[in-house]
Amino acid sequence: MIDTSAYEPVDVAQVTDALADLVEQYVLTSTVSAYPDWPASPVDQSSPLWPSSPTYTEQSPELAHLSVGGQYGTLKAGCEVATTAAENPSWHGHHEVRLPY
């Protein structure tokens, strides 16, 4: 399963729960915006992500102080956290692919 549209972490949790016994692998297409240091500094897979939670939504008060880009990046980082939390033992792993904003 390749998920190219996940935006809110709670949606990822619902999708991974629904597909748990139906797919062998879940691939999340994320974004370079998941890194708070980008674009001011170069980033790679080892760079820290925005602090996030698999329960965040656009309405989460923790996001209110962030710019629109910061909110987007935090939600996408939360999708990655939700993907990891949903790891199904029968899956052949999961992957995040981060694309430019």
Side-chain angles (χ1 to χ4, degrees):
M1 160 62 183
I2 300 174
D3 189 343
T4 61
S5 60
Y7 177 64
E8 290 189 332
V10 295
D11 295 335
V12 170
Q14 290 175 346
V15 168
T16 54
D17 284 348
L19 297 176
D21 296 325
L22 302 174
V23 299
E24 292 183 15
Q25 189 173 43
Y26 179 84
V27 177
L28 172 69
T29 303
S30 190
T31 173
V32 71
S33 296
Y35 300 111
D37 293 338
W38 185 85
S41 299
V43 295
D44 61 28
Q45 289 290 113
S46 66
S47 299
L49 299 175
W50 281 97
S52 195
S53 167
T55 62
Y56 281 179
T57 67
E58 280 186 296
Q59 291 75 36
S60 294
E62 296 86 352
L63 306 181
H65 71 284
L66 298 172
S67 67
V68 171
Q71 292 175 7
Y72 176 74
T74 299
L75 288 171
K76 291 299 270 191
C79 288
E80 295 185 27
V81 171
T83 301
T84 302
E87 186 73 23
N88 185 317
S90 67
W91 289 354
H92 300 291
H94 75 274
H95 301 281
E96 294 95 21
V97 179
R98 295 187 192 104
L99 303 174
Y101 180 68

